[in-house]
Amino acid sequence: MRDEAAAPASAAAPAPFLTDEQRAALDQALRDKAQEQAKARAAANHKAAAASGERRSRSAKGPGGAKKGGGGGKYTWGSLLTTGAEDELDRNDPNYDSEEDEKHVVLMRNHQAALKQEVAAYKEAVRALVEEYFSSGSVPDVVEGLEELGASHLAHYFVKRLITTALDRKDREREMASTLLSGLYAEVIAPEQVAKGFSSLFAALPDLVLDVPDAPELLCRFVTRAIVDDVLPPAILSHIDLEADPASRDLRQRCESQLAARHSAEKVLRCWGGSGAGTSHADTKAAISSLLAEYLGTSRDVTEAARRLRELGVPFFHHELVKQALLAAIDSAANVDTVVALLGSLSSTGEVSASQLAKGLRRVADGLADAVLDNPQAGERFAALMSAAAAAKLFNELDAEDVGDNAAAALAAAGVAVGSAAASAGAAASTGASTPNASNGGAAPSGRGVSVAMPPGVSAFKAASIAAVREYFDSQDSAEVAARLSGLEEPGLLPLFVKAAVSLSLDRKDRERELVSKLLVALTPAVVTHGALAAGFTRLLASADDLVLDVPDAVHLLSLFLGRAVVDELLPPAFLTQVLSSLDAEGLGVGVVRNAGIMLGARHGIERLVNCWHGGALELGAVRQAIRDAIAEYGTSGDVAEVARCLRDLDAAAYNHEAVVSAVELACNRYHGKSGDGAAANGHGGDAELEVAVAPVVALLSALSAQGVVSSTQMAAGMSRIRSAVEQEVMDYGPAARKVLDHLVATGKRDGWMADS
């Protein structure tokens, strides 16, 4: 339920909120955004489709397999050698001509020479094609190259070259090779050619071991991955000759044991570190997260972590490892020494360059102000981390320009002279940027003197805004929030307040979300201008991908907030169209806008958005009245589920004893009216009549207790209130009230929905 201020909106005619013109403009903007997203995906060279194992044709042409009987099909070279008994010359034939036989031998030799030249040319071409693929990662280029080469009957040479080249590379290239085979299978390369390529690898295994000592293990992963991807049949293992050599026997045993293990499919699919690791930004980040989780969780093996990092083959992306490692140390103080040891080892061995180390540190330092929203101790822990890094001389060789002013100031406070860091820190301190005091309200760790607020004033404003919103959740005093925001005198930072208020409520109950919606109505436009409110929502939509990590339902909740702001006339409907240009086409913010537009364009959309938080922020009097109305309605309908839903939506568990009081009053009224003035007045109504009269109330209280809606404490509190009122004659519940109350209490204790005490 909403207050009277919202009544005009809720009483509006059940027509769509958006006009036809506004709906058309939003639809067109969403279509433009969808086209932008489609272009971005098309420019990704089909990496996502190949990584997911889809085997759709990359061209309009068929697989180009040979026709039945050996003849060449379309896009093939056909049969170069004539085979069959009908083509052979019979020396006993009366028409046999020796000269013709000699010509036939010459022709055969010429065909064999042509075939050798063709194979040599094909091998050289596919070698270049594989090298180019490992550099570019473009699957369509490989498809086009193979189609230009033709000779689909020689594709097994491509399979062999692809895997032998990948064996001597990193996990990045091996994952690319497995992904490519899955993408080309059956559409570009015939299944028998894939099997033939692997069979030739089995035969060449003794030679491969000489160049790649762990070839049996690596080839085993390729084989099992191909089987899981349905590129090879499991029967391919029978092509491995156990008697050939120890390496072949080892290969077959490894393949059989891996495929027979529990959850083998999941493990095999991630045998190279995860789909797309090293080629996809998201998958590479996930691979780094897995590496770090294993190191911090169980192994603590720096050598293994360095090996896995090398296998990824992404030296330009090592700053992501630095960032994730530093954030892990900030989240848990127990990880500080381990993270410093890891980064120190990787830096000293050259696995992570100084530029990548500086970039990762800068990303963490520049984003620390936002991290404080989720972890209030982030600043103090970051300072402690910098002190530990200073003791290990981890960042001593970095340049102040590379790490940025924020990290340089933090390092200077920890006693590390990073290039001109000391000078930068001193200059910042003189302007009050890095050494907060009582006047600027900066959130510096106690005794550290290092600011975690960047740039100057932002941290103090964020801290004050968060404190004001949290206090408002308890007091519900919007005037106090307005006074505190006005006192900060930072109108340019008000979008941060809007973002912080909504973000804080996302992970709470409907009560807090309703309070935030009401707060925005109270503050706009007197304190928060419409422009600042729009900028705040733009920031929220842009950060939807990050918010969903902490609040899985963030997209739906943000859609409700956005639609509610439009209905409350805080934002114009045109905002939905205008904000799309500021959002990433691949981001979740576009989905939030789309969902809000759908709700605003639906019939009764206004009523649904006005009550989207189910009246979670009602005053105490309104809560009591809502509970009494629900119990009164139950006396007519007998719908227990509706009462339970109402109590849950009110989200006022501390006042559920009011439901018990109202239920007992309903029982008293039912028994008094059913028994008449005679027996009921003298308190001598029959037990049977009493049980029949109060049976619906017993059923209600029992169901509410069983569902956990009303706790035993609230049940006892409600009964106690009724008993006290009856004994003190504060209220007249009728002459039979005491009998009804005693019967309900006895029944509750017997059935277990009331405590014995």
Side-chain angles (χ1 to χ4, degrees):
M1 299 181 182
R2 285 175 54 85
D3 53 20
E4 295 180 359
S10 62
F17 187 86
L18 298 180
T19 64
D20 293 340
E21 293 79 6
Q22 292 169 343
R23 181 75 246 185
L26 178 59
D27 289 342
Q28 182 59 45
L30 288 170
R31 281 193 294 269
D32 294 342
K33 209 66 179 178
Q35 291 178 359
E36 179 183 340
Q37 181 180 13
K39 291 179 181 179
R41 289 180 176 176
N45 293 327
H46 299 272
K47 289 183 181 178
S52 64
E54 297 181 15
R55 301 191 182 95
R56 294 175 295 181
S57 177
R58 267 62 172 183
S59 69
K61 302 178 181 180
K67 293 181 180 179
K68 185 176 181 180
K74 194 175 183 181
Y75 313 114
T76 68
W77 287 48
S79 298
L80 291 179
L81 300 178
T82 56
T83 59
E86 67 278 6
D87 296 324
E88 297 179 0
L89 297 178
D90 187 359
R91 293 178 180 272
N92 297 321
D93 192 332
N95 296 322
Y96 171 74
D97 186 354
S98 60
E99 292 183 0
E100 185 179 352
D101 195 7
E102 292 176 358
K103 292 180 181 179
H104 182 75
V105 172
V106 172
L107 181 61
M108 289 286 290
R109 290 175 178 173
N110 290 339
H111 283 175
Q112 291 176 354
L115 180 58
K116 290 181 180 179
Q117 292 177 358
E118 178 192 5
V119 171
Y122 186 87
K123 286 183 176 181
E124 182 62 25
V126 297
R127 184 193 64 78
L129 199 59
V130 168
E131 293 291 344
E132 182 180 351
Y133 169 67
F134 285 152
S135 299
S136 67
S138 176
V139 176
D141 288 348
V142 177
V143 174
E144 183 179 356
L146 289 176
E147 289 178 346
E148 289 178 355
L149 287 173
S152 59
H153 60 289
L154 300 179
H156 60 278
Y157 288 114
F158 171 80
V159 175
K160 182 179 179 181
R161 169 60 66 177
L162 177 67
I163 295 178
T164 53
T165 304
L167 287 177
D168 202 25
R169 299 292 185 95
K170 303 294 181 62
D171 280 352
R172 170 182 177 273
E173 287 79 8
R174 295 163 190 158
E175 175 65 31
M176 292 174 67
S178 294
T179 299
L180 181 62
L181 283 179
S182 179
L184 300 181
Y185 175 79
E187 298 293 341
V188 180
I189 301 178
E192 59 270 15
Q193 290 294 316
V194 176
K196 188 175 181 180
F198 273 92
S199 296
S200 62
L201 284 168
F202 300 155
L205 185 58
D207 296 331
L208 291 175
V209 173
L210 299 178
D211 298 326
V212 185
D214 55 348
E217 170 62 24
L218 297 177
L219 187 56
C220 168
R221 295 185 189 180
F222 273 113
V223 173
T224 54
R225 173 68 178 269
I227 292 175
V228 170
D229 286 342
D230 291 332
V231 173
L232 288 176
I236 192 69
L237 299 182
S238 63
H239 293 196
I240 305 176
D241 187 2
L242 294 175
E243 305 299 330
D245 60 278
S248 298
R249 186 162 50 253
D250 182 28
L251 171 62
R252 182 163 176 175
Q253 291 174 351
R254 287 175 182 269
C255 293
E256 291 174 346
S257 62
Q258 287 194 15
L259 291 173
R262 291 188 60 188
H263 308 292
S264 60
E266 292 81 357
K267 295 177 182 177
V268 169
L269 287 174
R270 294 170 175 78
C271 62
W272 308 125
S275 176
T279 59
S280 166
H281 180 268
D283 291 326
T284 304
K285 289 179 66 175
I288 291 176
S289 298
S290 174
L291 177 160
L292 198 58
E294 179 181 344
Y295 170 74
L296 295 176
T298 56
S299 70
R300 303 295 174 96
D301 187 348
V302 176
T303 304
E304 176 63 17
R307 185 196 66 80
R308 292 186 60 183
L309 186 63
R310 284 194 302 272
E311 294 293 345
L312 284 177
V314 286
F316 54 86
F317 203 58
H318 286 173
H319 59 83
E320 179 66 25
L321 172 70
V322 178
K323 176 192 173 184
Q324 293 191 23
L326 294 178
L327 290 178
I330 291 174
D331 290 339
S332 174
N335 292 331
V336 171
D337 293 338
T338 310
V339 165
V340 170
L342 173 65
L343 295 181
S345 175
L346 295 177
S347 176
S348 62
T349 58
E351 297 286 350
V352 176
S353 65
S355 62
Q356 293 294 306
L357 197 65
K359 188 174 182 179
L361 174 61
R362 182 169 189 164
R363 290 178 63 193
V364 173
D366 290 349
L368 195 59
D370 289 332
V372 174
L373 295 176
D374 298 325
N375 183 2
Q377 297 181 335
E380 183 175 352
R381 290 181 176 177
F382 180 70
L385 176 60
M386 291 301 99
S387 297
K393 300 181 180 180
L394 177 59
F395 301 124
N396 288 25
E397 303 299 325
L398 303 183
D399 186 74
E401 295 182 359
D402 293 334
V403 300
D405 295 339
N406 303 326
L411 289 172
V416 180
V418 181
S420 58
S424 299
S430 66
T431 60
S434 64
T435 308
N437 49 41
S439 62
N440 63 19
S446 176
R448 298 284 182 182
V450 79
S451 172
V452 299
M454 313 69 152
V458 173
S459 175
F461 183 86
K462 282 187 175 181
S465 298
I466 293 172
V469 173
R470 286 175 174 165
E471 182 177 338
Y472 169 70
F473 286 159
D474 295 329
S475 67
Q476 303 185 23
D477 189 353
S478 59
E480 176 64 20
V481 179
R484 295 180 68 170
L485 289 177
S486 300
L488 291 175
E489 298 181 351
E490 291 284 2
L493 299 181
L494 289 175
L496 299 180
F497 166 79
V498 176
K499 179 183 177 183
V502 176
S503 299
L504 281 175
S505 68
L506 291 179
D507 200 24
R508 301 209 176 197
K509 301 293 183 64
D510 282 348
R511 173 184 176 275
E512 285 78 9
R513 296 165 192 149
E514 176 70 18
L515 284 172
V516 169
S517 293
K518 287 188 172 183
L519 178 62
L520 295 179
V521 172
L523 297 180
T524 307
V527 179
V528 179
T529 64
H530 289 289
L533 187 72
F537 270 92
T538 301
R539 288 172 175 263
L540 280 167
L541 296 175
S543 62
D545 296 86
D546 295 329
L547 292 173
V548 79
L549 299 176
D550 298 323
V551 185
D553 202 25
V555 172
H556 174 64
L557 297 176
L558 287 176
S559 301
L560 294 177
F561 267 115
L562 180 57
R564 175 69 175 271
V566 174
V567 169
D568 288 341
E569 299 183 356
L570 303 180
L571 294 172
F575 173 79
L576 302 180
T577 303
Q578 297 165 356
V579 75
L580 286 173
S581 60
S582 304
L583 303 179
D584 181 8
E586 299 281 346
L588 296 177
V590 177
V592 173
V593 175
R594 181 183 297 107
N595 294 345
I598 292 173
M599 287 185 286
L600 289 168
R603 287 174 58 87
H604 305 287
I606 298 176
E607 292 85 346
R608 293 171 183 170
L609 287 169
V610 165
N611 298 289
C612 62
W613 309 127
H614 311 294
L618 293 175
E619 300 293 340
L620 179 57
V623 171
R624 288 177 175 172
Q625 187 59 45
I627 292 176
R628 289 183 173 275
D629 290 345
I631 299 298
E633 183 178 347
Y634 170 76
T636 303
S637 66
D639 189 351
V640 176
E642 180 62 22
V643 177
R645 185 198 64 79
C646 177
L647 294 179
R648 290 193 183 97
D649 290 347
L650 288 173
D651 193 24
Y655 298 102
N656 282 348
H657 54 79
E658 190 69 34
V660 180
V661 172
S662 298
V664 175
E665 291 176 353
L666 176 63
C668 292
N669 292 334
R670 286 178 59 85
Y671 182 56
H672 177 73
K674 199 173 186 68
S675 300
D677 294 336
N682 297 321
H684 299 302
D687 291 340
E689 293 183 12
L690 176 62
E691 290 184 3
V692 171
V694 303
V697 175
V698 171
L700 173 64
L701 295 178
S702 176
L704 294 178
S705 175
Q707 297 177 22
V709 178
V710 178
S711 66
S712 59
T713 302
Q714 294 297 311
M715 195 75 70
M719 295 294 183
S720 177
R721 285 180 56 192
I722 292 290
R723 188 176 299 279
S724 177
V726 170
E727 291 177 352
Q728 297 177 14
E729 298 182 353
V730 174
M731 296 183 66
D732 184 10
Y733 291 106
R738 191 183 301 275
K739 185 175 183 178
V740 171
L741 179 61
D742 291 341
H743 177 76
L744 289 174
V745 171
T747 303
K749 292 180 178 179
R750 182 195 67 200
D751 295 344
W753 48 268
M754 273 201 68
D756 292 334
S757 57

